[in-house]
Amino acid sequence: MVKKLQPGSINGELTASGLRFGVVVSRFNSFITERLLSAALDALERADAASENVDVVHVPGAFELPLAAKKLAATGRYDALIAIGCILRGETAHYDYVCSETSRGLQLAQMDTGLPIIFCVLTCDTLEQAIDRAGLKGGNKGFEAGLAAIEMAHLSRKLTGGKPSTVAPKSPSSRKSRRR
Ligand code: INI
């Protein structure tokens, strides 16, 4: 007899009704980031997210995204976050530091809190490359990020047995004992 394995499949739906989202946006290169933001909000709206369930927070630059995202995650109010930024290569090594710390910080915030944080940070050599990814030739990465946030919000709940996925921030007593 030929056996056919039929593994169970766990997927995240693409409906945003009843879900809460936080979007953290960098003002640096706002010509690009505001276009990414519009597309992310468009994706959430088309999937039936309600205005009162979406908060947008602006920060100065991409380097500030991780801290703001981590603080939003710690509130326990959201099902997923989207971090939006645009880092353009300049003449110095500054670009490399901002890129690596932004991506590392966002991944750490996501892993520390257990809340999905979608990485919508363009890292481009030229403005033209960024424009292409913010609504021109390469589509709009903001829209993709909106869909990814919805999918991960559902998936994350399923993988934690239906419970909200945010890990509660450490209590003051546990922090004190660590300092000793
Ligand atoms: N921030 C960006 O979001 N994009 C950039 O391209 C950029 N460059 O090239 O310098 C940038 N720098 C600012 C940085 O993110 C911080 O806001 C700043 O260093 C203050 O901490």
Side-chain angles (χ1 to χ4, degrees):
M1 191 176 71
V2 183
K3 284 187 185 168
K4 256 203 163 174
L5 192 67
Q6 293 195 315
S9 163
I10 306 171
N11 292 298
E13 290 81 15
L14 285 177
T15 53
S17 166
L19 296 176
R20 295 196 58 119
F21 299 93
V23 189
V24 196
V25 193
S26 146
R27 268 195 215 96
F28 209 104
N29 294 322
S30 62
F31 174 74
I32 300 295
T33 59
E34 290 302 314
R35 277 162 178 73
L36 296 171
L37 172 63
S38 295
L41 295 178
D42 185 33
L44 297 182
E45 187 184 342
R46 291 208 215 172
D48 269 345
S51 296
E52 66 269 22
N53 287 341
V54 182
D55 294 324
V56 177
V57 175
H58 280 88
V59 295
F63 192 78
E64 284 71 42
L65 291 171
L67 181 62
K70 188 164 183 182
K71 283 182 182 285
L72 281 185
T75 64
R77 272 206 300 263
Y78 301 99
D79 294 289
L81 301 178
I82 303 170
I84 295 178
C86 171
I87 313 171
L88 295 179
R89 192 182 288 282
E91 289 173 359
T92 67
H94 188 75
Y95 168 90
D96 302 295
Y97 289 102
V98 177
C99 285
S100 66
E101 291 311 303
T102 302
S103 53
R104 199 175 67 100
L106 288 171
Q107 185 63 280
L108 275 176
Q110 168 171 253
M111 301 311 286
D112 279 357
T113 62
L115 189 73
I117 302 178
I118 305 306
F119 186 71
C120 183
V121 180
L122 302 184
T123 56
C124 299
D125 288 336
T126 65
L127 179 61
E128 193 189 357
Q129 287 175 347
I131 291 170
D132 285 347
R133 288 158 181 76
L136 239 74
K137 276 191 274 177
N140 193 315
K141 297 292 171 196
F143 195 87
E144 289 174 25
L147 295 183
I150 299 165
E151 184 173 348
M152 284 307 296
H154 282 289
L155 189 58
S156 193
R157 272 196 178 235
K158 285 187 186 175
L159 297 179
T160 47
K163 289 189 233 60
S165 44
T166 312
V167 175
K170 290 198 172 62
S171 68
S173 59
S174 67
R175 265 190 233 127
K176 246 187 242 156
S177 59
R178 246 217 252 140
R179 258 189 245 128
R180 270 182 223 136

